[in-house]
Amino acid sequence: MPGEERGAGESPVGEPDARLSTGVPDTATLGPDERVRPSLTESMGRDASIPLGGPIGEHAVVGRHWFWTPLRVALLLGVVALALSWFGKAACIQQNAGQDGSLGLDWSGSRQFVAMCYSDIVPLYGAERLDKGGFPYATMWYDDEGKPTQHERYMEYPVLTGMFMWVNAQMAQGWVEIAKSGWLPTGLEVVVYFDITAVWLGLAWLITLWAVAMCARRRKWDAAFIALSPLVIVHAFTNFDTLPTAFAACALLAWARKRPVLAGILLGLGGAAKLYPLFLLGPLLVLCLRSGKMREWWLTAAAAIGTWAAVNAPFFLHPDTARGWGEFFRLNSTRGADPDSIYNVIMQWLNWPGFDGVLGFKEPPSVLNTVTALLFLAACAGVAFIAWHAPTRPRVAQLCFLVVALFLLTNKVWSPQYSLWLVPLAILAIPRWKPLLAWMAIDAALWAPRMFFYLGTDNKGLPQDWFLGFVVARGLAVIALCVLVVIEIYKPDRDLVRAHGDDDPIGGVLDGAPDKFTLKRFTRGKAEAPV
């Protein structure tokens, strides 16, 4: 494939095609900086290369192209996927004229569901009062005003995402104002807002791809593979989740380059956009305990918590925004089982009222909250046991993937775009293209029955069971990937990353570090202790 270049000191002689039968390169032929070439090691890569001339030849001279490196190919494919994603949402930003001649969004005929173009970005422009120009967390309004269910509302997103939304709204309103003079093309404010937001979200995903390519070291083509992920095409612009993926991926890159403070700052910023990047501190903790690298972990944790607190402090300390700042936590505590959660599947299929039974308006599902928290803590304890019990120290990406996947599986909310969190972690943890594509295709396909379930059977939508069946299939696919990761942790000879002689490309100070503590060593030491 174009751009299958060699690194410094890499031999220009390609690997024999016989390795296609195993899927694992002969490590004896790989130099210390030589890249894995997917047209020789992945059947999907081989098939994709056919329109471009087929797999690279045994005696091909590679790495001489002045421009097309694997990273640039990945970024180009990322732009293509983002363009497809934008066009997928474009049907929901069509305009039409009302009876009075004024322009409005054309969502007639339940267009957002029929065209499967729904994006939270569009309705949130008005729902979060961004169109009114109010400052997030200081602006209060009433939902269901005048009804018995009337309640006060504030911006519901973490502060970095909330401010991102507000800044984009200010830019959109400024754009429309300038456009009145004829200098710029324009449209409805909400359409301009969506387009401006999409530009920044797209840039965040390209940064994610760059960081993944840098983390993958000799497997840079893996970034090109996830660049065309079906999940990106469907959900890049469904919500704002490419922001935390960019922070999380860059944090792992900083850790790989032995910069723990920078890694912590990036995790803290990611946690201020969506909380999940802070979960990555857990895998780093158990691996640092195993390797005796606690100083680096403390630096990372302190920087992450300090950064998160510094970003949030102006909002939770100021009297005008303190209550609004807590809206994110209040809403999450009072939410019930999300339609995409396994709890909802069980409730619907078994006609079960749930752990808390019938709840009153805004009454928090206390039992459900406790169950989900305990299940996630138990899952984390299981990951820690694996990290300390496995014969070889697991790689950072393997544990990070397990923790985030188990959070989604045990949580009461799995919004469709949350699956984007797993995409960069999955390719770094288990770079097997076929099983990853199978999972991503199932997960992306879930969007269709979800949309047509919301359309309703009275409007020719799908019955609920189609949607719930896909939720189960998505969960089983993620569980299968988790099992595969655990198998490779206990059998590192099957790990495609370690098959090339690497220990942990994003391990940073952990890469090649000897064990200081393992459960087996601890148990053996107790058994051999004198009576």
Side-chain angles (χ1 to χ4, degrees):
M1 293 176 67
E4 284 194 338
E5 63 185 71
R6 58 186 171 91
E10 180 181 332
S11 170
V13 179
E15 298 85 359
D17 291 347
R19 285 179 298 168
L20 280 170
S21 62
T22 64
V24 179
D26 178 3
T27 56
T29 65
L30 290 179
D33 298 311
E34 190 173 356
R35 295 188 181 97
V36 176
R37 296 164 187 167
S39 67
L40 295 176
T41 61
E42 288 280 351
S43 58
M44 288 181 59
R46 175 195 59 199
D47 295 340
S49 71
I50 290 175
L52 303 175
I56 191 168
E58 181 177 351
H59 301 289
V61 176
V62 296
R64 302 295 178 85
H65 199 282
W66 68 275
F67 185 79
W68 287 119
T69 65
L71 175 59
R72 287 171 180 162
V73 172
L75 294 176
L76 174 62
L77 294 177
V79 171
V80 171
L82 291 167
L84 292 173
S85 184
W86 185 89
F87 280 112
K89 304 298 186 184
C92 279
I93 53 174
Q94 300 300 307
Q95 305 171 160
N96 64 356
Q99 294 181 350
D100 59 354
S102 61
L103 286 179
L105 280 179
D106 182 8
W107 279 24
S108 59
S110 300
R111 176 191 290 267
Q112 68 273 31
F113 301 134
V114 174
M116 296 187 291
C117 61
Y118 176 81
S119 168
D120 286 334
I121 297 170
V122 176
L124 286 176
Y125 183 67
E128 298 289 348
R129 301 304 191 264
L130 297 170
D131 57 333
K132 306 299 183 184
F135 191 76
Y137 313 106
T139 301
M140 187 274 288
W141 66 93
Y142 290 103
D143 272 357
D144 297 341
E145 191 168 1
K147 299 179 181 179
T149 56
Q150 175 177 307
H151 57 284
E152 65 179 37
R153 280 289 315 280
Y154 294 89
M155 167 66 73
E156 65 181 85
Y157 283 85
V159 296
L160 203 60
T161 299
M163 293 306 299
F164 172 76
M165 296 163 64
W166 180 75
V167 169
N168 289 339
Q170 297 299 302
M171 293 176 65
Q173 291 158 18
W175 180 288
V176 171
E177 191 64 31
I178 294 173
K180 290 178 181 178
S181 63
W183 285 92
L184 295 171
T186 189
L188 287 173
E189 270 188 18
V190 66
V191 174
V192 177
Y193 169 72
F194 176 85
D195 288 338
I196 290 174
T197 302
V199 169
W200 297 121
L201 293 176
L203 179 60
W205 182 249
L206 294 179
I207 292 172
T208 303
L209 292 178
W210 167 79
V212 168
M214 295 298 101
C215 287
R217 196 179 293 179
R218 66 169 79 241
R219 298 191 59 96
K220 294 187 182 297
W221 282 102
D222 290 341
F225 169 71
I226 66 167
L228 290 175
S229 166
L231 282 169
V232 176
I233 295 173
V234 175
H235 291 309
F237 306 128
T238 297
N239 200 276
F240 308 95
D241 290 74
T242 62
L243 292 180
T245 65
F247 283 119
C250 289
L252 291 177
L253 178 59
W255 178 267
R257 294 184 173 179
K258 302 180 181 180
R259 302 182 67 179
V261 174
L262 178 58
I265 291 172
L266 291 168
L267 288 177
L269 291 173
K274 270 295 172 53
L275 287 179
Y276 98 88
L278 293 175
F279 295 161
L280 305 189
L281 290 172
L284 293 177
L285 170 61
V286 296
L287 292 175
C288 286
L289 280 170
R290 176 164 179 154
S291 301
K293 300 293 184 180
M294 288 303 297
R295 176 182 176 275
E296 288 77 6
W297 184 83
W298 282 114
L299 287 173
T300 302
I305 295 171
T307 300
W308 182 89
V311 172
N312 283 270
F315 298 90
F316 69 72
L317 293 179
H318 197 284
D320 292 340
T321 56
R323 180 163 178 77
W325 173 83
E327 183 78 349
F328 168 74
F329 301 97
R330 285 193 298 273
L331 284 180
N332 277 279
S333 67
T334 57
R335 290 181 72 168
D338 202 61
D340 295 74
S341 70
I342 193 63
Y343 306 101
N344 181 62
V345 174
I346 297 172
M347 290 168 63
Q348 298 301 324
W349 279 355
L350 298 183
N351 196 25
W352 175 50
F355 290 107
D356 297 273
V358 179
L359 295 172
F361 179 70
K362 302 297 283 185
E363 184 180 355
S366 303
V367 179
L368 176 62
N369 291 342
T370 303
V371 169
T372 57
L374 291 178
L375 285 176
F376 180 52
L377 289 175
C380 290
V383 172
F385 174 83
I386 292 170
W388 295 329
H389 181 264
T392 302
R393 172 177 38 77
R395 293 186 289 110
V396 169
Q398 290 174 320
L399 293 196
C400 288
F401 173 80
L402 288 177
V403 166
V404 177
L406 291 170
F407 170 75
L408 292 175
L409 288 166
T410 59
N411 195 30
K412 65 179 182 178
V413 177
W414 189 335
S415 295
Q417 70 278 0
Y418 287 3
S419 295
L420 285 174
W421 304 352
L422 291 176
V423 173
L425 298 176
I427 197 64
L428 293 172
I430 179 170
R432 295 180 181 271
W433 289 14
K434 283 186 175 179
L436 289 183
L437 181 60
W439 153 61
M440 290 186 291
I442 293 171
D443 208 332
L446 173 59
W447 186 243
R450 190 182 211 270
M451 292 290 96
F452 279 86
F453 161 60
Y454 284 144
L455 183 61
T457 54
D458 293 340
N459 293 320
K460 299 182 180 180
L462 285 175
Q464 178 178 237
D465 287 347
W466 282 80
F467 168 54
L468 299 179
F470 267 84
V471 170
V472 172
R474 188 263 309 274
L476 291 175
V478 173
I479 291 172
L481 291 179
C482 291
V483 171
L484 199 50
V485 170
V486 173
I487 290 173
E488 293 189 354
I489 287 175
Y490 277 93
K491 296 182 178 180
D493 56 307
R494 300 184 57 175
D495 185 347
L496 295 185
V497 174
R498 284 181 163 147
H500 309 299
D502 293 328
D503 176 35
D504 189 351
I506 62 174
V509 295
L510 302 171
D511 188 21
D515 289 337
K516 299 294 184 181
F517 165 78
T518 66
L519 289 179
K520 288 186 176 181
R521 179 178 300 179
F522 177 75
T523 304
R524 184 170 61 249
K526 287 184 67 175
E528 295 173 355
V531 179

